Each structure stands twice: as C-alpha cells, then as structure tokens.
C-alpha cells in the first residue's frame, strides 16, 4: 500500500486535506465525501486500518522506517496536516461566509453534492437487486438523519468522548456530516466553535510567552473538553476504519451503492432554503452554557422564484455542479 510520493504529490495531498478539513467543520458537508470524490477515500480507510498492534510493535521496537512504510505514514501525515491546518484557516473563512452569505454557501454546497452524486455513480455500472437495495437503504437513512431533532448541550466527558467517535464519522463515511451529527447531539458549538477558538487562543498566548492561560479555569475546562473529544475522534477513526476496510473488501459494490444513496439522502441537510428554529421557553430564546441560542430544528421551504436572491442561489447551485464536472473532465483527461 505504501507509495513513494514526489513533493508536488505531497503538496497535493496537503491541499486535499485542507478541503476535507474545511468540509468536516461545515454542518451538512462530509469530509469523507470530499475524499471519495477526489479519489483517495479507499487509501485513507486502508491507511487508518493499518494503525493496529503490528504498527505499535514496529514503533516500540524502533523500526521507524518499517512503521512508516507499513502504516503509509507519509500519506497520512500530509492529509492530516492539511485537515488540522484547515481548522485555523479555511474553516474560519467558511465561518465568515456562513454568517454573512449563508444562503449562497448552502446553494454552492448543494450543487457540489448533486455533482458528486453524478461523479461517483456515472461509472458504477453494476446495478442489481442487492446494490439497488443498498442505494435505497443509504438514501432512507440519509433522509431520516436530515430530519432528526437536535439534543441539548452536554459537556460530560464520557459523552464528549462519544461525540468524538460519532463526529469523526464524517471523515470516514461519505455523505454523513460529522458536524451535523454534533448538532443533533447538541454539542456542535461546544466542540467545534468554542473549544476550537479557545485552543487557538491558548496556542497564540503560549507562542507569545504568556503562560497565565494555565491558571484560567474556563480555558482549562475547554482544553480538557477538546482533549477528550480529540481522543474520541482518534479512537473512532481507527475503529470505524477497520470496520469499513473489512466491508469494502468483501462487499465493495454494495457498500459503494449505500454510499451513493447516503450522499443523495444527505441533500436534505444542505437544502439551501431553510430557516433555523431556536428553542424557546416562556417566549424567550434558550441559551447553551456559552450563551448561544440552542438549535431546535430547521424549517425547510420552497423559495420564491420572483426573488432575485433565489436566482442568484440557483446560480451558485449551477456553479457547484459545474465545479465537480470540471474536476471530472480534467480527471478523465489526465487518465
């Protein structure tokens, strides 16, 4: 599985990691789908699958080169470096556009997912009763998740660890948005906004020589939370990848059909025209522990086609579809 890569190939992996990391933070968009569309999904899964007892044995025995070759470490480090860097770069840009141009961002993502469904299904060509059943099953589960009602925030460390396991699924399961799952679990703001912002603030303070942050109980609480969440994510990445690697080897076509269905079903999550419904008590908005409004659900609606904003949004949907088709065109040309 190990591949020696040139510097341009390594930089390409880093940029793919950037895109995947940014996608993982956006509710409704799956980093696994990015990996699937960009053609490195199976290598990603099989690489995580190599983090096992044999890998740790090689590492503890000091056989670092064998460890690197066995785990495809070069691939993993470039992709993960891009994903981590994305949380403090691309994801901040996405946050800005989601706050100020939310409708257009969702429209763009909606178009990209439509294009992605076409991209990964056009060459499938193995439709039979089993794969069609897999397609329908994936689509049904995707739609069901799209319309679930979110829970309330919970900072219990065992629950945070569980959120890490479930939330990281967006990196390993195309179509399943880890960020949207965290919204459903009630911990999106706590884990991917507040904790990440505090971590960035702490790192900045430490680099400037300010160590007073270690005496700030609030910041220490968030550091503990993000540490447990990261541990859960690492455990989830490895364990889920082992399961996926097993089923991909044995039922590759059926699993691919389920993924196509799942991505199709997830379109309900990123439907651009929706209004956020916040929880209320006695007519007053309820707030989480960070002072943010608690999301209760989303009210989806059909847009007004007499509105200029609607047609601009449709334009962004077309741009999203076109982007995937351009990627497909150059991929076919390269092959």
């Amino acid at each position: 599985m190990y591949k020696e890569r040139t510097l341009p190939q390594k930089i390409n992996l880093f940029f793919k990691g950037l895109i995947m990391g940014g996608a993982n933070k956006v509710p409704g968009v799956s980093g696994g789908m990015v990996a699937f569309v960009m053609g490195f999904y199976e290598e990603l899964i099989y690489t995580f699958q190599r983090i096992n007892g044999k890998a740790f044995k090689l590492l503890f025995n000091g056989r670092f080169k064998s460890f690197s070759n066995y785990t495809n470490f070069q691939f993993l480090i470039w992709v993960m470096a891009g994903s981590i860097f994305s949380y403090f770069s691309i994801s901040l840009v996405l946050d800005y556009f989601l706050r100020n141009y939310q409708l257009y961002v969702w429209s763009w993502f909606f178009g990209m997912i439509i294009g992605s469904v076409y991209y990964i299904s056009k060459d499938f060509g193995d439709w039979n009763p089993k794969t069609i059943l897999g397609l329908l099953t994936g689509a049904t589960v995707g739609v069901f998740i799209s319309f679930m009602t979110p829970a309330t925030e919970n900072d219990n460390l065992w629950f945070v660890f569980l959120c890490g396991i479930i939330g990281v699924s967006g990196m390993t399961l195309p179509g399943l948005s880890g960020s949207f799952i965290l919204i459903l679990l009630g911990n999106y703001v706590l884990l991917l906004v507040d904790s990440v912002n505090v971590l960035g603030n702490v790192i900045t303070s430490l680099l400037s020589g300010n160590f007073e942050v270690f005496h700030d109980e609030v910041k220490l609480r968030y550091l503990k939370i993000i540490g447990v969440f990261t541990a859960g994510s690492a455990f989830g990445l490895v364990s889920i990848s082992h399961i996926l690697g097993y089923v991909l080897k044995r039922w590759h076509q059926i699993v691919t059909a389920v993924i196509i269905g799942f991505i199709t079903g997830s379109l309900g999550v990123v439907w651009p025209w929706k209004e956020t419904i916040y929880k209320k008590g006695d007519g007053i908005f309820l707030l989480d522990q960070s002072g943010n409004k608690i999301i209760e659900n989303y009210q989806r609606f059909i847009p007004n086609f007499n509105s200029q904003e609607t047609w601009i949004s449709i334009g962004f949907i077309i741009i999203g579809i076109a982007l995937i088709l351009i990627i497909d065109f150059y991929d076919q040309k390269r092959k």
Side-chain angles (χ1 to χ4, degrees):
M1 184 179 64
Y2 173 75
K3 298 177 184 177
E4 187 62 43
R5 286 179 161 89
T6 63
L7 181 59
Q9 289 174 327
K10 292 174 183 177
I11 294 173
N12 186 36
L13 283 177
F14 179 81
F15 279 109
K16 287 179 177 179
L18 275 178
I19 298 169
M20 187 172 73
N24 276 326
K25 194 176 179 183
V26 179
V29 185
S30 163
M33 185 190 72
V34 171
F36 201 90
V37 171
M38 300 187 92
F40 66 99
Y41 175 72
E42 289 192 22
E43 184 175 6
L44 183 72
I45 294 301
Y46 292 136
T47 297
F48 284 133
Q49 197 179 21
R50 287 296 183 94
I51 301 175
N52 52 30
K54 181 178 178 179
F56 285 112
K57 187 176 180 181
L58 291 170
L59 184 63
F60 294 144
N61 288 336
R63 297 174 60 186
F64 301 117
K65 187 174 181 180
S66 297
F67 168 81
S68 178
N69 292 345
Y70 177 75
T71 58
N72 199 19
F73 192 69
Q74 187 183 92
F75 164 85
L76 187 62
I77 199 70
W78 283 98
V79 171
M80 296 309 295
S83 295
I84 293 169
F85 184 75
S86 174
Y87 266 73
F88 303 98
S89 55
I90 287 179
S91 60
L92 297 178
V93 176
L94 282 172
D95 286 345
Y96 170 80
F97 281 104
L98 280 170
R99 283 195 303 270
N100 296 283
Y101 305 99
Q102 182 170 298
L103 177 60
Y104 300 145
V105 173
W106 286 126
S107 299
W108 183 51
F109 282 134
F110 189 77
M112 288 183 68
I113 293 176
I114 291 174
S116 299
V117 171
Y118 163 76
Y119 181 86
I120 62 178
S121 60
K122 66 182 179 67
D123 296 324
F124 184 67
D126 189 22
W127 295 111
N128 57 56
K130 289 183 179 179
T131 53
I132 291 173
L133 179 61
L135 176 76
L136 295 175
T137 301
T140 302
V141 174
V143 170
F144 176 75
I145 290 175
S146 299
F147 290 92
M148 286 179 65
T149 301
T152 57
E153 184 176 295
N154 184 345
D155 64 354
N156 180 282
L157 293 182
W158 281 109
F159 186 72
V160 169
F161 186 81
L162 179 65
C163 285
I165 296 173
I166 299 173
V168 82
S169 58
M171 188 177 287
T172 52
L173 292 170
L176 182 61
S177 166
S179 298
F180 186 70
I181 292 297
L182 290 179
I183 286 179
L184 295 179
L185 294 173
N187 273 3
Y188 175 78
V189 172
L190 174 68
L191 298 174
L192 293 189
V193 178
D194 293 342
S195 294
V196 171
N197 290 340
V198 168
L199 177 62
N201 181 264
V202 168
I203 292 172
T204 302
S205 298
L206 293 177
L207 290 175
S208 63
N210 178 11
F211 296 95
E212 292 297 317
V213 292
F214 291 119
H215 301 289
D216 188 323
E217 291 186 6
V218 174
K219 289 182 178 177
L220 287 176
R221 168 181 170 265
Y222 279 112
L223 288 176
K224 186 187 297 183
I225 287 171
I226 200 168
V228 172
F229 177 67
T230 302
S233 298
F235 178 80
L237 270 179
V238 176
S239 56
I240 294 173
S241 296
H242 275 76
I243 296 169
L244 282 172
Y246 177 85
V247 297
L248 274 170
K249 283 181 179 178
R250 284 156 181 78
W251 303 288
H252 187 276
Q253 294 301 88
I254 295 175
V255 172
T256 302
V258 171
I259 288 172
I260 293 171
F262 209 88
I263 293 174
T264 304
S266 73
L267 284 168
V269 180
V270 290
W271 176 253
W273 296 279
K274 58 179 176 283
E275 183 180 345
T276 305
I277 308 299
Y278 297 101
K279 286 188 177 180
K280 287 185 177 181
D282 298 325
I284 301 172
F285 288 113
L286 300 179
L287 305 177
D288 59 25
Q289 295 178 12
S290 304
N292 300 292
K293 294 177 184 176
I294 299 172
I295 297 174
E296 182 174 15
N297 217 320
Y298 296 98
Q299 181 71 47
R300 296 165 180 84
F301 58 89
I302 302 298
N304 176 12
F305 289 99
N306 293 321
S307 167
Q308 183 183 17
E309 186 181 61
T310 298
W311 289 105
I312 294 174
S313 302
I314 292 172
F316 275 100
I317 292 175
I318 294 170
I319 290 171
I321 296 172
L323 181 61
I324 301 299
L325 295 180
I326 290 169
I327 293 172
D328 178 42
F329 174 77
Y330 279 104
D331 184 51
Q332 294 296 329
K333 193 173 181 180
R334 178 180 58 83
K335 289 179 180 178

